Amino acid sequence: TGKNLRWYGTVTRLSDERMLVTSGYELAGIQVLQPGAATVHHPGDHNRSVEVWLASGASRQEISTHLQTPEAVWNPDYTHAFQIPYGPPLVPANTVLMFGEAGVPVYFFPDAPQGSRWLTLSNMPRPGATSADAPNHGTASVLLPLRASNGEWNYANGSVMQAGGGRESAMERSIDFFEISSGWAQGIDLGVRRRYPATVLLPDGKVLVVSGYDATGANPAIRNAHYLDLKPPASFSTGVSASGEVRGYHNVALLLPDGRVLIAGGRSAGETGPEDEKPNLRYLYPPYLSPRDSPPPRPVITAAPQTIGYGSSFAVEFSGGPVSEVVLMGLGSMTHAFDTNQRYVQLAAPSQSGNAVQVSGPADVQTAPPGHYMLFVLDANR
């Protein structure tokens, strides 16, 4: 107890608009470095304590001390934490699923009585992991697309995908799935080792895996993107073009409102010096932005409300089309192979009339915590 400093802490938005803050380093006795002095990485002890903050920043409350928090949530590069899309009566409100360095799923119930806030699934480590691997150090994690029809794509909403991982471990070239309803499922061989990759949810429902580095050597295939499509029949494909450079540790990848993906930063390999940071950026054009050989043209939103309510009907006007899906995408906030805020929420099947669709907002705050989202419309070809 008594730990109150954080470096590499994770912030997760909850359904009741509080911010969950967990993990980080306790930097007791921070030394002020002189210009030109070497940077000391990862000093201090672990701080596993958990706090909640109001979005306004007006108040904070420690709800699990360092000693009360399971060691399994600890990750040197940010605990991966997801507010799952369920609430009472299935699970307590604001239930959070966490993964630390060991790749062990841990559930946290922030509003439960002390002594019953944690559930550690120690018998369910990431497949193939050993304690010596630090399997989730350098792993990218993402909450899989939340479909309006739960289970439509052969997984339950709230399931998590993990890609890449521990240096020279089996995880470094593996994609694994934690099914929230049944535990770990069959994984996929990436075909190339990726340490610190980026996983980006795309509005067509695919998951982009990009960047990272190969800790065992320079494999040129690391410069190509991978696309995981979970819509049955599921598929895994490699992008046709290669980037001009490897973007390893510290890379970022963010979905933009026009459907492009911003790729930036990163070092040529691992945790090398800051002089190796890439100062430039690139735009990745996913396959859905490729020119079409024939009509119909890609649908374009022409009018939509700035604010929507839960379960409330609203209209989206468009040109092109017709529209078959409407999705919300959480704004990205990425660091160290983890995006704390991205979220894909498909809205209920739209009713179309002319150049407008009528659609309902998300069912509840567990599915889509309050905040800002991007809105996308898709045609039958996604």
Side-chain angles (χ1 to χ4, degrees):
T1 60
K3 293 179 179 290
N4 57 12
L5 301 178
R6 297 187 194 276
W7 184 41
Y8 286 56
T10 300
V11 180
T12 305
R13 182 171 50 157
L14 299 180
S15 63
D16 60 6
E17 302 187 54
R18 291 179 298 171
M19 300 296 176
L20 188 79
V21 186
T22 187
S23 212
Y25 283 95
E26 174 79 2
L27 298 178
I30 298 175
Q31 179 182 5
V32 178
L33 299 177
Q34 299 300 317
T39 300
V40 179
H41 292 286
H42 299 187
D45 298 327
H46 299 172
N47 177 2
R48 300 195 304 267
S49 68
V50 180
E51 297 174 276
V52 286
W53 290 64
L54 289 177
S56 63
S59 67
R60 56 183 280 193
Q61 177 188 7
E62 185 180 56
I63 57 176
S64 182
T65 68
H66 171 76
L67 295 179
Q68 290 169 337
T69 305
E71 188 174 356
V73 307
W74 170 256
N75 194 330
D77 292 331
Y78 301 89
T79 295
H80 295 194
F82 305 92
Q83 198 249 271
I84 67 171
Y86 303 103
L90 291 176
V91 296
N94 299 306
T95 296
V96 176
L97 173 61
M98 300 185 186
F99 295 88
E101 181 180 54
V104 173
V106 181
Y107 285 100
F108 182 54
F109 314 108
D111 301 316
Q114 282 289 0
S116 57
R117 289 182 175 169
W118 294 99
L119 174 62
T120 303
L121 304 182
S122 55
N123 62 332
M124 290 189 183
R126 188 172 173 188
T130 68
S131 57
D133 283 338
N136 276 32
H137 184 198
T139 289
S141 299
V142 66
L143 190 70
L144 292 176
L146 304 179
R147 301 293 292 174
S149 178
N150 197 349
E152 176 188 14
W153 286 358
N154 298 325
Y155 62 84
N157 286 344
S159 298
V160 171
M161 186 192 97
Q162 299 193 321
R167 183 189 301 273
E168 299 184 35
S169 72
M171 280 77 254
E172 202 177 19
R173 60 174 291 161
S174 176
I175 287 179
D176 295 298
F177 303 94
F178 180 74
E179 299 271 8
I180 197 169
S181 59
S182 58
W184 293 98
Q186 180 69 40
I188 295 175
D189 184 355
L190 270 168
V192 61
R193 292 179 176 273
R194 287 191 191 270
R195 182 161 165 76
Y196 289 106
T199 46
V200 182
L201 295 172
L202 299 178
D204 63 355
K206 295 176 185 176
V207 183
L208 167 70
V209 183
V210 68
S211 298
Y213 72 97
D214 179 356
T216 65
N219 187 332
I222 200 76
R223 297 188 294 116
N224 289 69
H226 286 129
Y227 296 91
L228 176 66
D229 188 356
L230 291 168
K231 180 180 179 180
S235 63
F236 184 66
S237 59
T238 302
V240 296
S241 61
S243 67
E245 62 283 307
V246 172
R247 295 184 183 271
Y249 183 65
H250 275 181
N251 75 84
V252 295
L254 295 170
L255 176 68
L256 300 178
D258 61 7
R260 293 179 298 172
V261 178
L262 172 70
I263 308 290
R267 300 181 183 181
S268 300
E271 295 82 340
T272 52
E275 69 282 352
D276 189 31
E277 299 277 0
K278 303 291 189 301
N280 57 6
L281 59 88
R282 290 181 182 269
Y283 295 115
L284 173 65
Y285 291 76
Y288 54 65
L289 290 178
S290 299
R292 291 186 175 172
D293 296 327
S294 59
R298 182 179 296 110
V300 176
I301 296 173
T302 57
Q306 293 298 303
T307 303
I308 62 175
Y310 293 95
S312 299
S313 179
F314 65 96
V316 178
E317 299 177 19
F318 63 91
S319 61
V323 166
S324 61
E325 293 188 47
V326 180
V327 298
L328 297 177
M329 305 294 294
L331 306 185
S333 179
M334 185 188 174
T335 184
H336 288 75
F338 179 57
D339 192 321
T340 66
N341 198 55
Q342 68 172 335
R343 201 174 185 95
Y344 168 113
V345 181
Q346 184 200 32
L347 302 181
S351 172
Q352 184 166 323
S353 176
N355 282 354
V357 290
Q358 200 73 21
V359 68
S360 293
D364 50 54
V365 293
Q366 284 81 30
T367 301
H372 294 90
Y373 292 79
M374 293 180 285
L375 178 73
F376 289 87
V377 297
L378 295 89
D379 64 14
N381 293 318
R382 295 192 290 163

